[in-house]
């Protein structure tokens, strides 16, 4: 795969684009076309009229002709000459991805978008699509026909193909975006400059590859529900495109598994807001993990000692519950002070109650493990019980840390640097 990039450093923090940039459009909308002599003019005129009336920034519409053999180049040239915000360019090779790569790589606009020439997507979604990129909130934006509030008119065959394709992406590449194939996307130019050299596909899989790499690099992808009316005169060959897409899924998945892509060049700072103390956040997480591991190791020892003590007088389930309960109270108190730095008595009772809920999760895991062991072996030896409980506690430990950090002590993730705020909790 292509891995050359012009810069080796990570991306800077996102910023709001300037309200006015003299002589430079903020948005460049690319329309890739191949033999569209009939639909090109009315579609470009409609898009131009919409942007002129509703878009508050400067814009450009770029017609990217993919080696058309009809009058499409002449129509594009006429629109270029007649409308000042429209320009046309000619590529001698076909491929939507090739056209977008060529136009976006040479555009001077800070926000780059594209849409299909049939304008199947309602244009009212265009400003919501690019607004998060202009404001600095997101890195890429996509239209989604699969969002709950989207209104879509298309046949059952295309509906099935689209949903099946996105299901393949979720299961094979762990994609979280909902609609890879919608011809309605935008990207910030600084992101495109780093991302495009890594995208190898030049055809229909270009969109998917770009989104998968961006998502794996931790970039923020904004999704916009759209109104969509399918074009009955679509030129897309579904079977051939599906085969090429599956080949692309295999290629990208293999490259990601091998670590062959320098995705660190696409990373953003952890927090763009300087008030969040982004530089200190990784260190704070490391300290929390170290404190949690220390408390967890001591708690496990206490739990095993208590279990062995209670087991001489109680059954396995009762001894497990009693040992977990006592160690859970001590564990919550220790994590409150050592791991998350919460001092004072404020909200201590609430923290303990929440800690008991976390304890219940651990109880369910360990009790379930004991029940499964009893069902499998009948009367297991004490050493086997201890081994099973240690394994179950390791699984419960990971979940316990996540619950403590995200639910019991969430304030610490955006804590104030003053000790007075910690005491007041």
């Amino acid at each position: 795969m292509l891995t050359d990039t012009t810069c080796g450093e990570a991306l800077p923090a996102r910023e709001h684009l300037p309200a006015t940039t003299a002589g430079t459009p903020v948005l460049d909308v690319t329309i890739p076309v191949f033999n569209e002599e009939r639909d090109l003019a009315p579609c470009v005129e409609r898009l131009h009229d919409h942007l002129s009336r509703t878009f508050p920034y400067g814009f450009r519409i770029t017609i990217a002709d993919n080696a058309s053999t009809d009058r499409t180049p002449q129509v594009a040239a006429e629109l270029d000459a007649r409308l000042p915000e429209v320009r046309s360019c000619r590529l001698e090779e076909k491929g939507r991805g090739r056209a977008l790569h060529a136009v976006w790589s040479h555009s001077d606009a800070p926000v780059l978008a594209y849409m299909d020439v049939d304008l199947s997507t309602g244009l009212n979604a265009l400003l919501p699509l690019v607004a998060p990129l202009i404001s600095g909130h997101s890195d890429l934006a996509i239209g989604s026909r699969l969002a709950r509030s989207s209104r879509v008119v298309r046949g059952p065959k295309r509906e099935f193909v689209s949903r099946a394709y996105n299901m393949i992406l979720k299961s094979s590449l762990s994609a979280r975006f909902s609609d890879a194939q919608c011809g309605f996307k935008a990207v910030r130019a600084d992101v495109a400059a780093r991302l495009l050299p890594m995208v190898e596909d030049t055809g229909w899989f270009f969109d998917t590859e770009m989104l998968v790499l961006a998502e794996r690099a931790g970039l923020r992808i904004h999704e916009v529900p759209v109104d969509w009316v399918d074009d009955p005169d679509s030129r897309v060959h579904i079977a051939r495109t599906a085969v090429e897409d599956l080949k692309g899924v295999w290629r990208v998945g293999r490259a990601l598994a091998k670590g062959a892509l320098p995705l660190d060049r696409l990373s953003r700072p952890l927090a763009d807001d300087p008030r969040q103390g982004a530089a200190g956040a990784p260190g704070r997480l490391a300290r929390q993990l170290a404190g949690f591991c220390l408390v967890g190791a001591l708690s496990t020892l206490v739990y095993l000692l208590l279990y062995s003590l209670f087991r001489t007088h109680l059954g396995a389930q009762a001894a497990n519950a009693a040992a977990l309960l006592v160690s859970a109270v001590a564990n919550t108190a220790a994590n409150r002070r050592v791991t998350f730095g919460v001092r004072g008595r404020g909200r201590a009772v609430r923290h303990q109650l929440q800690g008991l809920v976390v304890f219940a999760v651990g109880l369910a895991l360990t009790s379930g493990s004991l029940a499964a062991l009893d069902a499998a072996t009948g009367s297991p030896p004490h050493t086997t019980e201890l081994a099973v409980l240690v394994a179950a506690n390791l699984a419960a430990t990971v979940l316990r840390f996540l619950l403590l950090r995200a639910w019991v002590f969430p304030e610490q993730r955006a804590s104030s640097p003053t000790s007075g705020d910690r005491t007041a909790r």
Side-chain angles (χ1 to χ4, degrees):
M1 297 186 71
L2 303 177
T3 58
D4 294 336
T5 58
T6 57
C7 298
E9 300 179 356
L11 286 165
R14 289 184 298 266
E15 295 182 355
H16 196 299
L17 297 177
T20 57
T21 305
T24 302
V26 170
L27 173 65
D28 191 346
V29 183
T30 302
I31 302 180
V33 293
F34 173 73
N35 289 349
E36 297 286 356
E37 61 179 2
R38 184 183 66 180
D39 295 333
L40 180 57
C43 288
V44 170
E45 290 169 352
R46 178 184 164 200
L47 175 60
H48 182 272
D49 176 68
H50 177 83
L51 288 171
S52 299
R53 290 185 295 103
T54 64
F55 194 68
Y57 298 91
F59 67 89
R60 178 191 298 130
I61 301 171
T62 301
I63 304 169
D65 175 31
N66 290 160
S68 294
T69 57
D70 62 359
R71 291 192 65 257
T72 296
Q74 289 79 8
V75 176
E78 293 171 2
L79 291 168
D80 189 332
R82 180 160 52 89
L83 301 174
E85 291 85 7
V86 175
R87 72 172 185 178
S88 63
C89 64
R90 166 82 174 180
L91 286 83
E92 298 303 328
E93 295 180 88
K94 291 178 61 177
R96 182 176 68 175
R98 179 179 286 108
L100 293 177
H101 192 291
V103 174
W104 286 357
S105 296
H106 296 90
S107 178
D108 57 351
V111 176
L112 310 169
Y114 95 89
M115 60 180 62
D116 295 334
V117 68
D118 55 18
L119 299 187
S120 296
T121 306
L123 293 179
N124 286 338
L126 182 55
L127 183 55
L129 181 80
V130 301
L133 310 186
I134 294 173
S135 70
H137 175 271
S138 301
D139 298 293
L140 298 91
I142 64 175
S144 175
R145 298 163 296 184
L146 302 180
R148 289 186 177 182
S149 56
S150 296
R151 295 183 296 180
V152 177
V153 178
R154 60 177 170 176
K157 180 179 179 181
R158 287 186 175 274
E159 181 75 12
F160 172 78
V161 170
S162 180
R163 291 187 179 275
Y165 180 65
N166 284 284
M167 186 178 298
I168 291 173
L169 293 180
K170 292 179 184 297
S171 60
S172 61
L173 297 178
S174 300
R176 296 190 299 274
F177 47 85
S178 65
D179 191 351
Q181 294 180 312
C182 182
F184 192 68
K185 296 181 175 70
V187 59
R188 285 177 63 104
D190 57 343
V191 174
R194 306 284 186 91
L195 185 55
L196 292 180
M198 301 184 194
V199 179
E200 183 174 337
D201 191 81
T202 59
W204 294 98
F205 188 69
F206 174 88
D207 305 48
T208 301
E209 186 170 354
M210 179 178 68
L211 291 174
V212 168
L213 298 185
E215 188 175 74
R216 286 298 185 94
L219 298 180
R220 180 175 292 160
I221 301 175
H222 180 74
E223 297 198 14
V224 178
V226 297
D227 297 336
W228 177 280
V229 179
D230 212 0
D231 179 15
D233 190 35
S234 175
R235 315 284 176 83
V236 180
H237 192 288
I238 294 180
R240 183 168 61 244
T241 302
V243 171
E244 293 301 318
D245 285 348
L246 291 176
K247 291 180 180 178
V249 169
W250 168 256
R251 173 176 52 80
V252 172
R254 184 175 56 181
L256 291 173
K258 292 181 177 180
L261 296 170
L263 297 181
D264 57 314
R265 300 178 186 178
L266 296 172
S267 61
R268 291 280 195 190
L270 181 62
D272 296 308
D273 188 345
R275 294 175 300 174
Q276 299 297 323
R284 183 166 63 250
L285 176 59
R287 289 193 298 272
Q288 288 178 351
L289 283 171
F292 180 79
C293 290
L294 176 62
V295 171
L298 294 175
S299 297
T300 300
L301 290 176
V302 171
Y303 162 77
L304 292 174
L305 290 173
L306 289 173
Y307 176 79
S308 297
L309 177 64
F310 293 152
R311 187 67 177 87
T312 59
H313 305 286
L314 302 173
Q317 294 288 7
N320 174 61
L324 269 178
L325 179 61
V326 175
S327 60
V329 173
N331 182 278
T332 299
N335 274 312
R336 186 175 187 269
R337 176 65 182 266
V338 176
T339 304
F340 299 99
V342 180
R343 296 173 175 82
R345 297 182 178 180
R347 304 178 69 184
V349 174
R350 177 179 176 179
H351 290 157
Q352 282 292 348
L353 292 175
Q354 290 175 308
L356 289 176
V357 176
V358 178
F359 148 76
V361 175
L363 177 62
L365 286 173
T366 53
S367 296
S369 300
L370 285 175
L373 180 63
D374 289 337
T377 61
S379 181
H382 182 61
T383 54
T384 304
E385 286 184 348
L386 288 178
V388 170
L389 287 173
V390 168
N393 268 284
L394 287 176
T397 296
V398 176
L399 183 58
R400 186 182 302 121
F401 176 76
L402 296 176
L403 289 173
L404 288 175
R405 191 167 190 264
W407 180 50
V408 182
F409 307 106
E411 296 88 352
Q412 283 300 110
R413 299 182 67 179
S415 60
S416 169
T418 63
S419 59
D421 287 344
R422 289 187 175 182
T423 306
R425 288 194 184 112

